[in-house]
Amino acid sequence: MIKNTPPMGWNSWNTFGSDISEDLIKEVADKLVDSGLRDLGYEYVVIDDCWSMRERDGNGKLVADSEKFPHGMKALADYIHSKGLKFGMYSCAGTLTCAGYPGSYEHEFTDANTFAEWGVDFLKYDYCFKSTIIPGPVLYRRMGLALKNCGRDILLSACSWGADNTHEWIRQTGANMWRSTGDIFDSWESVRSLTEQQENKLAYGGQGCFNDMDMLVVGMYGNGNVGMENHMNDTQYRTHFSIWALMGSPLMIGCDIRNMSESAMKILSNKEVIAINQDPDCRQVMHLDTWIGNDARCYARYLANGDIALAFFNLGESGTFVRFLIDALGISLSSGKTLEMHDVWTGEVFTVKNGTFLHQLDAYDTLMYRCRVVDR
Ligand code: GLA
């Protein structure tokens, strides 16, 4: 059975690109366990592009690069499973992957069986070098159906970047998550742009198929494959993580967890933020209008136990002041109710007075609460 909350784990692409190996993947698996990240929910270890030989074998099967993965993928899957983790791999709906390795086009059932034989639990499925004749929905249906018939539960992570109106058809295909945005980079502009691209897609996320805002860049500090010179700082990483969590995106770590800063670990391991992301109801996210300044945003989400997740994200370069009426969340002044606010980043607890929430919000910063409905 595939769990019906946003998948969590680690993916090789953001930091390592093509520079991947069996040793690296094993070290990452070890670290997920030793650091406690596995027990917080980060369970998938995903090898992205560049893992295979340039050619299929004589039977048309994909073959792992024998230098990078000398013991083959089955052995690596066994190792990952022995650590209580799940194993993810990558292929593409086109003739080639985005980095030019063999794609699964016209080999969908063969490849799904190969992945099942190797013990794969998760398949990220890209959209480069795709057929110009066969439309995207059919390409994803092919792999979706092949995975459903391969004899193993394999989560399908569709990666067509929102192209060709992916949101209109991706749920048909059997995908469990779908990339709703373009590729992420370790810069504030990138996080801001992905957040804005997500705003009109919020209705499409949820149980069965989650909106995937791309792998996290928390803790990269400019290093690695999608690192940038103008990389983010810890405040910005915290906002990035909070947005992904509140919006119900999968949480796939992208930094080198073997050498992680304490502050990155603190961000990625915030249990209350993870609990909001993993809330079993996976309700639609609300975008709320309020007095907050043009560059800041207010989002909320009802949670399974009757609480509400509420967050204010400042995407701008200067501080602002938030004034928010909790009436928008369903608590009218005549109800006799108010909200007890639990700040998930500072631990502070307070009660909203007169139906109005007032707070300073610094540049790039986040205010995020788990709110409990209480008597006034
Ligand atoms: C695309 C995807 C990325 C990554 C690369 C690999 O760009 O969107 O997430 O998988 O391909 O080549």
Side-chain angles (χ1 to χ4, degrees), residues 11 13-14 48-50 90 97-100 124 126 128 159 161 179 181-183 214-215:
N11 174 301
W13 184 253
N14 281 358
D48 208 283
D49 205 348
C50 311
Y90 166 101
T97 71
C98 297
K124 175 171 170 181
D126 222 325
C128 288
C159 182
W161 328 295
R179 271 281 293 282
T181 62
D183 282 8
D214 206 356
M215 288 91 67

XYZ file of all heavy atoms in Angstrom, residues 11 13-14 48-50 90 97-100 124 126 128 159 161 179 181-183 214-215, ligand 1:
187
model
N 16.377 13.105 -2.641
C 16.602 12.875 -4.068
C 17.995 13.397 -4.423
O 18.437 14.434 -3.938
C 15.497 13.604 -4.862
C 15.717 13.538 -6.361
O 16.735 13.986 -6.889
N 14.746 12.978 -7.075
N 19.276 14.649 -7.220
C 19.517 15.612 -8.292
C 20.057 16.967 -7.829
O 21.032 17.478 -8.378
C 18.232 15.821 -9.114
C 18.453 16.726 -10.275
C 18.022 18.016 -10.411
C 19.210 16.423 -11.456
N 18.454 18.528 -11.606
C 19.185 17.575 -12.259
C 19.920 15.305 -11.910
C 19.833 17.633 -13.495
C 20.558 15.368 -13.143
C 20.513 16.511 -13.915
N 19.407 17.594 -6.854
C 19.744 18.987 -6.538
C 21.220 19.166 -6.194
O 21.848 20.140 -6.609
C 18.880 19.513 -5.387
C 17.489 19.905 -5.864
O 17.199 19.807 -7.044
N 16.639 20.328 -4.946
N 18.053 10.029 -9.039
C 17.494 10.763 -10.182
C 18.223 10.345 -11.457
O 18.769 9.231 -11.556
C 17.589 12.276 -9.889
C 16.522 13.099 -10.587
O 16.668 13.340 -11.802
O 15.537 13.512 -9.939
N 18.270 11.209 -12.430
C 18.837 10.943 -13.756
C 20.312 10.501 -13.668
O 20.972 10.745 -12.656
C 18.721 12.242 -14.571
C 18.677 11.993 -16.065
O 18.948 10.866 -16.495
O 18.362 12.950 -16.797
N 20.791 9.859 -14.748
C 22.220 9.544 -14.957
C 22.684 8.278 -14.232
O 23.883 8.146 -13.948
C 23.129 10.709 -14.563
S 22.652 12.312 -15.237
N 14.448 6.729 -11.413
C 14.051 7.769 -12.355
C 14.051 7.227 -13.778
O 14.948 6.462 -14.154
C 15.066 8.910 -12.233
C 15.045 9.939 -13.330
C 14.416 11.172 -13.153
C 15.681 9.694 -14.554
C 14.408 12.125 -14.163
C 15.677 10.651 -15.565
C 15.048 11.863 -15.366
O 15.038 12.805 -16.362
N 16.242 10.387 -21.418
C 16.001 11.195 -20.221
C 16.496 12.614 -20.497
O 17.136 12.865 -21.526
C 16.767 10.635 -19.001
O 18.172 10.881 -19.201
C 16.503 9.144 -18.818
N 16.254 13.518 -19.543
C 16.647 14.909 -19.777
C 18.161 15.031 -19.936
O 18.654 15.910 -20.647
C 16.142 15.802 -18.648
S 14.335 15.827 -18.565
N 18.922 14.125 -19.316
C 20.382 14.178 -19.443
C 20.886 13.253 -20.558
O 22.090 13.055 -20.702
C 21.027 13.808 -18.112
N 19.975 12.660 -21.332
C 20.393 11.923 -22.523
C 20.612 10.423 -22.353
O 21.205 9.781 -23.209
N 10.253 8.345 -10.445
C 10.095 9.706 -10.962
C 10.153 9.607 -12.485
O 11.070 8.998 -13.039
C 11.217 10.599 -10.430
C 11.205 12.007 -11.020
C 12.200 12.904 -10.295
C 12.387 14.227 -11.020
N 13.368 15.089 -10.346
N 10.023 11.615 -16.044
C 10.259 12.942 -16.625
C 9.592 13.082 -17.998
O 8.934 12.150 -18.479
C 11.785 13.179 -16.682
C 12.157 14.581 -16.256
O 11.388 15.514 -16.549
O 13.226 14.748 -15.643
N 11.203 14.836 -20.933
C 12.078 15.307 -22.019
C 12.002 14.361 -23.216
O 11.601 13.201 -23.086
C 13.524 15.377 -21.533
S 13.815 16.736 -20.392
N 6.674 14.022 -13.720
C 7.538 15.215 -13.742
C 7.435 15.921 -15.086
O 8.398 15.969 -15.846
C 8.965 14.797 -13.418
S 10.112 16.173 -13.347
N 6.419 19.100 -15.282
C 6.600 20.533 -14.956
C 5.344 21.376 -15.171
O 5.433 22.583 -15.434
C 7.744 21.131 -15.789
C 8.841 20.194 -16.105
C 9.692 19.623 -15.194
C 9.216 19.661 -17.388
N 10.566 18.790 -15.835
C 10.300 18.800 -17.166
C 8.740 19.851 -18.692
C 10.912 18.099 -18.213
C 9.348 19.169 -19.721
C 10.417 18.307 -19.488
N 4.624 17.111 -10.808
C 5.354 18.374 -10.749
C 4.492 19.480 -11.335
O 4.148 19.468 -12.503
C 6.658 18.248 -11.524
C 7.825 17.743 -10.674
C 8.431 18.824 -9.800
N 9.050 19.796 -10.655
C 10.235 19.607 -11.235
N 10.947 18.526 -10.980
N 10.729 20.511 -12.028
N 5.294 22.681 -11.223
C 6.120 23.856 -11.516
C 7.373 23.427 -12.282
O 7.686 22.243 -12.366
C 6.599 24.514 -10.211
O 7.403 23.565 -9.508
C 5.462 24.953 -9.330
N 8.118 24.421 -12.767
C 9.419 24.154 -13.392
C 10.462 23.790 -12.343
O 10.159 23.641 -11.169
N 11.716 23.652 -12.781
C 12.794 23.198 -11.882
C 13.173 24.257 -10.845
O 13.230 25.442 -11.140
C 14.053 22.872 -12.696
C 13.932 21.522 -13.389
O 12.832 20.930 -13.357
O 14.940 21.078 -13.954
N 8.633 20.569 -6.435
C 10.036 20.199 -6.707
C 10.790 19.966 -5.393
O 10.333 20.352 -4.317
C 10.769 21.226 -7.578
C 11.910 20.563 -8.353
O 12.161 19.361 -8.142
O 12.548 21.254 -9.177
N 11.951 19.337 -5.559
C 12.737 18.957 -4.379
C 13.205 20.195 -3.621
O 13.430 21.252 -4.204
C 13.979 18.149 -4.803
C 13.685 16.757 -5.268
S 13.418 16.650 -7.047
C 15.007 17.035 -7.732
C 14.374 17.570 -15.327
C 13.637 17.446 -14.005
C 14.640 17.563 -12.866
C 15.707 16.479 -12.982
C 16.373 16.563 -14.351
C 17.303 15.382 -14.611
O 14.888 18.834 -15.516
O 12.649 18.421 -13.891
O 13.975 17.456 -11.621
O 15.106 15.222 -12.819
O 15.423 16.597 -15.404
O 17.933 15.445 -15.857
